[in-house]
């Protein structure tokens, strides 16, 4: 029995369908006032996220809880861990789905990660309390790096404006990074729950692909070959993006987070976003995909 919080979200939806496809009995925890729409046939329990007592009641009898709430709910993440520990949940998948304990992240980004770190630390403490106990509390974090097919379709700032067929290549376009597709994110949760011993009390680091902008551009050009509109290519630098982001940050403007994330992805020679090797992905059954496959998925998501 698996409970998921955030089941209708960008990542929660593919995780929920991967879990049900894999045969897990899934129940959904949501807010009383939530307008989220969930798959038919799954039990839905409505609880205030700030109410630790009510959450513990909702988690009773669950073997595992998957926390995949969005940034708007991250302040409640620590209480969710406490509720799971109180309810006797054996595995808690903490809300990472990002860069894990990345000490190399830019200083401006650190405060954003603080509430989620508090929740992680709470999970570490309960796991230490229960060390050696059969059926004690354990946790896993899933570090995915760039959610690549979703991010390519959603954020032209990553360098590929799909609708306009306009690419911005940063520096030489050769900086490699790892990314995980939505399918891979769903499978990573399934894989963790299928391998509880190997994944207890640690961050697993997963990927569907390691690639760079030039390989993605070649895949976009191949996939859209023969279409009337061809890709225009503009050159920029990661350093310029960093300066633009820091300028927006200093002026209190929006958009700086994405600029800084793009800098971290493409900063030449730094490998800041090569997050995962092959090992955990192999263990968890995450399919390794080509740039062509990832780009096909991004084009389908962007529906152009
Ligand atoms: N690696 C990356 O680049 C990357 C990118 C995006 C996200 N992430 C991370 O992945 C995780 C999930 O993100 P996501 O984009 O899938 O989340 P999301 O779609 O924004 O939200 C997921 C769910 O959280 C609940 N929620 C959202 N806003 C809320 C609010 N203001 N108050 C209370 N509840 C709220 C909703 O669930 P209910 O309606 O059921 O309550 C929603 O369906 C987060 O930790 C996020 O930081 C990482």
């Amino acid at each position: 029995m698996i409970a998921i919080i955030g089941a209708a979200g960008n990542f929660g939806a593919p995780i929920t369908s991967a879990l049900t496809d894999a045969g897990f009995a899934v129940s959904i925890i949501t807010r009383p006032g939530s307008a989220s729409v969930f798959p038919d046939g799954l039990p839905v329990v409505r609880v205030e996220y700030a109410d630790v007592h009510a959450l513990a009641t909702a988690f009773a009898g669950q073997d595992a809880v998957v926390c995949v709430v969005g940034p708007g709910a991250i302040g409640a993440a620590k209480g969710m861990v406490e509720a799971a520990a109180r309810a006797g949940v054996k595995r808690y998948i903490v809300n990472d789905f990002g860069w894990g304990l990345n000490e190399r992240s830019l200083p401006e980004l650190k405060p954003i990660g603080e509430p989620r770190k508090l929740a992680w630390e709470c999970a570490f403490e309960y796991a230490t309390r229960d060390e050696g106990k059969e059926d004690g509390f354990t946790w896993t974090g899933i570090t995915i790096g760039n959610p690549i097919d979703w991010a390519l379709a959603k954020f032209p700032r990553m360098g590929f404006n799909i609708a306009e067929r306009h690419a911005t290549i940063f520096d030489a376009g050769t900086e490699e990074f790892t990314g995980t597709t939505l399918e891979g994110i769903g499978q990573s949760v399934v894989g963790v729950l299928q391998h509880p011993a190997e994944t207890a009390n640690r961050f697993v680091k997963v990927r569907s692909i390691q690639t760079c902008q030039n390989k993605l551009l070649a895949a976009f050009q191949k996939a859209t070959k023969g279409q009337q509109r061809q890709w225009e290519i503009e050159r920029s630098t990661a350093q310029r993006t960093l300066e633009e982001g820091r300028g927006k940050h200093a002026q209190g403007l929006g958009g700086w987070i994405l600029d800084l994330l793009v800098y971290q992805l493409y900063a030449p020679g730094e490998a800041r976003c090569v997050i995962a090797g092959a090992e955990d992905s192999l263990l968890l059954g995450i399919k390794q995909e080509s740039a062509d496959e990832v780009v096909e998925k991004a084009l389908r998501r962007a529906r152009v």
Side-chain angles (χ1 to χ4, degrees):
M1 301 253 289
I2 315 296
I4 177 163
I5 332 167
N10 296 309
F11 300 169
I15 290 170
T16 303
S17 55
L19 285 169
T20 51
D21 288 353
F24 286 100
V26 176
S27 57
I28 289 167
I29 312 288
T30 188
R31 296 164 289 163
S34 169
S36 295
V37 177
F38 304 109
D40 287 339
L42 297 184
V44 176
V45 180
R46 295 185 180 271
V47 190
E48 294 291 355
Y49 289 164
D51 186 340
V52 175
H53 180 74
L55 278 172
T57 305
F59 291 158
Q62 300 292 334
D63 299 303
V65 170
V66 182
C67 181
V68 66
V69 292
I74 206 74
K78 182 170 180 263
M80 291 171 179
V81 176
E82 282 167 359
R86 259 191 229 174
V89 167
K90 293 190 276 295
R91 175 60 51 90
Y92 190 91
I93 298 194
V94 296
N95 202 343
D96 179 10
F97 304 103
W99 279 266
L101 292 163
N102 184 4
E103 298 306 332
R104 294 180 70 200
S105 107
L106 290 169
E108 293 89 342
L109 295 170
K110 290 200 192 269
I112 299 171
E114 278 314 309
R116 91 182 38 220
K117 273 208 176 145
L118 287 178
W120 298 351
E121 283 161 10
C122 182
F124 306 162
E125 280 170 26
Y126 281 115
T128 305
R129 178 199 71 181
D130 284 1
E131 222 170 278
K133 274 191 207 160
E134 202 182 325
D135 291 344
F137 178 93
T138 59
W139 62 274
T140 306
I142 301 177
T143 300
I144 61 155
N146 183 273
I148 190 162
D149 53 337
W150 176 80
L152 282 170
K154 191 172 172 71
F155 302 117
R157 190 73 170 116
M158 241 183 98
F160 300 95
N161 186 329
I162 294 176
E164 301 294 326
R165 298 286 191 268
H166 185 99
T168 305
I169 301 297
F170 297 92
D171 303 286
T174 51
E175 184 65 22
E176 299 246 327
F177 63 99
T178 56
T180 310
T181 60
L182 293 182
E183 184 187 332
I185 293 170
Q187 179 57 36
S188 67
V189 175
V190 168
V192 164
L193 297 174
Q194 288 171 336
H195 295 87
E198 301 95 317
T199 58
N201 302 330
R202 71 180 183 96
F203 285 87
V204 293
K205 294 182 176 186
V206 300
R207 68 171 196 206
S208 305
I209 188 171
Q210 178 166 327
T211 191
C212 67
Q213 272 204 301
N214 286 352
K215 291 176 190 169
L216 290 169
L217 176 62
F220 273 118
Q221 287 171 323
K222 186 173 156 195
T224 56
K225 199 172 159 194
Q227 293 182 1
Q228 208 181 2
R229 196 156 185 196
Q230 284 307 299
W231 287 82
E232 273 172 37
I233 298 161
E234 179 191 334
R235 298 269 159 192
S236 186
T237 66
Q239 185 60 33
R240 191 180 306 159
T241 308
L242 177 64
E243 284 159 16
E244 285 169 10
R246 286 193 159 150
K248 290 176 195 168
H249 184 244
Q251 291 175 63
L253 301 174
W256 65 271
I257 296 177
L258 197 53
D259 289 348
L260 265 51
L261 291 175
V262 168
Y263 167 77
Q264 294 193 152
L265 205 56
Y266 299 136
E270 296 203 21
R272 278 175 175 266
C273 289
V274 177
I275 298 295
E279 209 179 1
D280 283 335
S281 304
L282 205 65
L283 170 73
L284 304 180
I286 296 166
K287 189 175 111 193
Q288 297 305 288
E289 302 187 44
S290 66
D292 289 345
E293 288 170 307
V294 167
V295 156
E296 275 300 338
K297 287 180 172 175
L299 287 168
R300 240 180 284 138
R301 293 196 70 75
R303 287 198 201 91
V304 282

